[in-house]
Amino acid sequence: MVKEDALRFAEERLRLHPATALTRELRLGHVRRVTRRLAAEMGKGEHRTFERVDRSVLVMCNRGSLWITHDGDPRDVILYGGETYQADREEAMHVFALQDCLLEIQFDDDVTEH
């Protein structure tokens, strides 16, 4: 279940993700950030929705193929092994596995103090 844990973690962190750098600044002032990078396998036909993304989100397809689209965006992005996609919109990002694939998702995340 490592796959599920990594993808759930990314979904949750991006769900809580402030929409823009300006929103972060207004809401929290200067916030320390860390770059997270997670790898997971997705089976053919699986999909994930990342509700809040920004330009720090990078998707890497290491094996197989992925289809990526954003809410309200007419473009379709297809990635094959070795290709990457940098998010250029803030609307929800949908990732679909066209084949069994290994993907990595990288994003900047707020550092939380405990």
Side-chain angles (χ1 to χ4, degrees):
M1 282 296 141
V2 172
K3 166 188 86 167
E4 282 299 314
D5 291 344
L7 289 173
R8 279 195 196 124
F9 178 80
E11 284 175 325
E12 182 64 17
R13 293 308 302 169
L14 288 171
R15 185 181 66 76
L16 300 172
H17 207 62
T20 65
L22 178 60
T23 301
R24 276 192 305 277
E25 289 296 321
L26 292 174
R27 189 186 79 186
L28 302 170
H30 180 69
V31 176
R32 291 184 334 171
R33 307 211 74 203
V34 64
T35 299
R36 298 192 189 276
R37 190 173 195 170
L38 306 165
E41 292 182 329
M42 288 179 67
K44 181 180 178 177
E46 284 187 65
H47 69 279
R48 293 290 176 166
T49 298
F50 301 96
E51 293 180 27
R52 291 186 174 178
V53 297
D54 63 18
R55 295 182 193 283
S56 77
V57 175
L58 179 68
V59 178
M60 295 147 276
C61 181
N62 293 322
R63 181 181 71 237
S65 60
L66 297 169
W67 169 41
I68 300 171
T69 191
H70 290 266
D71 285 351
D73 189 351
R75 295 177 302 157
D76 292 320
V77 176
I78 307 288
L79 298 182
Y80 297 97
E83 296 181 331
T84 62
Y85 169 72
Q86 182 85 43
D88 59 359
R89 301 178 62 101
E90 294 176 353
E91 289 78 17
M93 180 177 72
H94 306 277
V95 178
F96 299 87
L98 297 174
Q99 300 173 320
D100 290 346
C101 63
L102 175 61
L103 71 93
E104 290 182 50
I105 185 164
Q106 176 179 301
F107 57 95
D108 291 344
D109 194 9
D110 295 344
V111 174
T112 54
E113 302 290 332
H114 294 285

